[in-house]
């Protein structure tokens, strides 16, 4: 049993929990909000939010761009009811994978399990809240019993699931979402975790131990002698495979923190660690209150990300940071998207493609630069990469070596501007052998 008592439902506690229930807000595509953003948000951060809305609706969602879109979530957004916006985007195919703090996913479970969180005030006596068994997240208030019962559900799920051995966080969250769909039918309408499982949207957590979900996984290992292990290596490779396979890559970043970097590090992981140049993200949208001047990652701009190879320098006009509170800006952003022309896309269901993309995209591409490849292997690999836009810093280009079919050292790239993407081409010469090169 926990050390602290959950409190009794007396009049004092009821006073703290008398606020209206917080519900998941679902955007409806308001034409009035779209008009306000286009015509009324004309300067300063209002204009930046309008710019973000138009980059998303008019460019990232354009069918011919076929952009693979990641949403990263930091800050207490699901307790504030913003999970409904995420569910709406997933159901419409407007985001393809999600990277979130574990806390947002844990608090999402409260809604799936039909517990109530209340609107409240940040100006209350926290000692009294503790004594009455009331939890506060700024101005969101709920009984501590919600935590205890959510924890109990997670532990029951872990036993029920039979999960064992190393798994990615996407595998773990999909199993959790499937369990919610079985235990609480219909909860996909108001649960991010359940909706993601229903729509094939993989959910990753960059720091799985940093949440109550991770705490209960640790309990499961210690008390039930479980072999379940969250494997971050699988997460890194799966996200990199999504990025590598995409025609275009784009992100919407809420807040910043670890989820932001976990997504953005995919590009330098490819070129810096694996030697696979992809070229950087094509679109970058961030809603944050963090300033760049403190040097923290959450305030890092798209321009800074260029130096890491995270963002393609040629697409900086398609990047924007709106310095706004996500709880204000994100619902407006979603209303604009839902009201746009391309408000629905065919879902990519990347969860079901993860292993195939790692095996058929990542592994073959890693053999580039190796010598003594068989002709068939080389041809297969380079056909896969044909047409990919790649961008390497000038200092790295002379080091890029490709093996031709004879096992000889291939051509070196020299004298190219660091700001000019190179298109990877597969070139075949009839009857005289095959040649593979960058040009």
């Amino acid at each position: 049993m926990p050390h602290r008592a959950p409190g009794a439902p007396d009049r004092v506690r009821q006073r703290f929990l008398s606020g209206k229930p917080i519900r998941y807000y679902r955007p409806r595509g308001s034409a009035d909000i779209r008009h306000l953003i286009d015509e009324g948000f004309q300067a300063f951060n209002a204009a930046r939010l309008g710019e973000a809305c138009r980059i998303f609706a008019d460019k990232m969602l354009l069918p011919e761009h076929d952009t693979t879109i990641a949403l990263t979530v930091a800050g207490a957004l699901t307790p504030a009811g913003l999970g409904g916006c995420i569910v709406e985007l997933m159901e419409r195919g407007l985001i393809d994978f999600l990277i979130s703090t574990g806390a947002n996913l844990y608090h999402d479970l409260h809604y799936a399990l039909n517990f109530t969180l209340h609107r409240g005030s940040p100006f209350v006596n926290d000692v009294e809240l503790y004594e009455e068994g009331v939890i506060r997240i700024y101005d969101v208030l709920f009984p501590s019993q919600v935590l205890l019962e959510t924890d109990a559900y997670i532990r029951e799920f872990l036993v029920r699931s039979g999960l064992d051995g190393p798994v990615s966080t996407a595998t773990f969250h999909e199993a959790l979402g499937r369990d919610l769909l079985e235990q609480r039918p219909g909860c996909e309408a108001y649960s991010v975790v359940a909706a993601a499982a229903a729509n094939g949207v993989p959910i990753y957590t960059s720091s799985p131990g940093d949440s109550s979900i991770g705490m209960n996984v640790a309990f499961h290992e210690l008390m039930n002698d479980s072999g379940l292990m969250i494997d971050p290596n699988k997460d890194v490779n799966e996200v990199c495979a999504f990025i590598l396979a995409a025609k275009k890559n784009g992100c919407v970043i809420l807040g910043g923190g670890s989820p932001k970097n976990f997504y953005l590090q995919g590009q330098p992981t490819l070129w810096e660690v694996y030697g696979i140049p992809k070229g950087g993200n094509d679109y970058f949208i961030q809603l944050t209150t963090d300033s760049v001047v403190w040097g923290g990652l959450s305030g890092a701009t798209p321009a800074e990300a260029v130096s890491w190879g995270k963002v393609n320098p040629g697409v900086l006009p398609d990047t924007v940071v709106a310095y706004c509170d996500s709880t204000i800006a994100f619902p407006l952003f979603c209303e604009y998207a839902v009201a746009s022309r391309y408000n629905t896309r065919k879902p990519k269901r990347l969860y079901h493609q993860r292993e195939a993309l790692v095996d058929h995209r990542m592994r073959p591409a890693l053999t580039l630069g190796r010598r003594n490849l068989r002709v068939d292997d080389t041809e297969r690999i380079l056909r896969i990469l044909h047409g990919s836009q790649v961008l390497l810093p000038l200092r790295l280009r002379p080091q890029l070596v490709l093996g031709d079919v004879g096992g000889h050292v291939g051509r070196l790239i020299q004298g190219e501007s660091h700001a000019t993407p190179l298109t990877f081409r597969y070139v075949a010469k009839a009857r005289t052998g095959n040649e593979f090169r960058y040009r």
Side-chain angles (χ1 to χ4, degrees), residues 106-137:
Y106 174 74
H107 293 301
D108 173 77
L109 300 181
H110 306 330
Y111 294 92
L113 299 174
N114 203 29
F115 296 129
T116 302
L117 283 64
H118 296 268
R119 304 182 193 185
S121 168
F123 309 111
V124 291
N125 187 316
D126 288 286
V127 175
E128 290 184 11
L129 292 182
Y130 178 82
E131 292 173 346
E132 296 299 323
V134 175
I135 302 295
R136 179 170 76 90
I137 305 175

Side-chain angles (χ1 to χ4, degrees), residues 321-390:
V321 178
Y323 292 97
C324 310
D325 182 338
S326 293
T327 62
I328 300 171
F330 188 53
L332 296 174
F333 177 90
C334 293
E335 286 284 358
Y336 193 99
V338 173
S340 70
R341 177 182 179 184
Y342 305 113
N343 62 4
T344 304
R345 302 191 306 172
K346 181 180 179 180
K348 287 184 166 59
R349 297 190 176 275
L350 290 179
Y351 178 82
H352 305 292
Q353 301 182 49
R354 298 167 304 121
E355 295 181 357
L357 289 176
V358 170
D359 287 340
H360 301 305
R361 285 283 182 171
M362 288 286 288
R363 296 186 194 280
L366 285 175
T367 63
L368 278 174
R370 294 180 184 175
R371 301 188 184 187
N372 301 319
L373 291 173
R374 295 181 307 175
V375 174
D376 291 346
D377 288 340
T378 310
E379 183 174 355
R380 177 171 58 88
I381 293 163
L382 298 182
R383 283 191 184 280
I384 288 174
L385 294 182
H386 176 73
S388 296
Q389 291 291 313
V390 299

Side-chain angles (χ1 to χ4, degrees), residues 237-258:
N237 287 328
E238 289 174 12
V239 169
C240 285
F242 296 158
I243 293 171
L244 182 62
K247 181 178 180 180
K248 286 181 177 288
N249 287 287
C251 57
V252 177
I253 299 168
L254 305 183
S258 181

Side-chain angles (χ1 to χ4, degrees), residues 77-99:
L77 300 188
T78 58
L82 269 66
C85 292
I86 300 173
V87 171
E88 188 72 31
L89 296 184
M90 286 194 295
E91 289 183 352
R92 291 176 174 271
L94 303 186
I95 56 174
D96 300 306
F97 64 103
L98 175 67
I99 302 172

Side-chain angles (χ1 to χ4, degrees), residues 151-164 172 175-176 179 212-221 224 226 228 230:
D151 290 348
Y153 164 75
I154 295 171
R155 291 194 294 271
E156 292 167 1
F157 152 72
L158 288 168
V159 173
R160 220 171 19 241
S161 70
L163 287 171
D164 193 41
F172 178 87
L176 180 60
D179 190 78
S212 294
I213 294 177
M215 290 153 52
N216 283 287
V217 172
F219 173 94
H220 184 54
E221 178 187 18
N224 297 332
S226 167
L228 172 63
I230 303 297

Side-chain angles (χ1 to χ4, degrees), residues 26-85:
R26 297 290 291 268
R28 300 177 180 177
S30 168
D32 289 338
I33 290 178
R34 186 177 174 92
H35 176 77
L36 170 66
I37 292 172
D38 281 337
E39 304 300 330
F41 287 11
Q42 301 178 74
F44 304 109
N45 279 297
R48 300 292 77 70
L49 178 57
E51 188 179 352
C53 291
R54 286 184 286 276
I55 288 172
F56 187 76
D58 300 339
K59 295 184 177 181
M60 293 172 69
L61 299 184
L62 204 63
E64 54 263 40
H65 288 174
D66 191 25
T67 306
T68 297
I69 301 173
L71 176 69
T72 80
V73 183
L77 300 188
T78 58
L82 269 66
C85 292

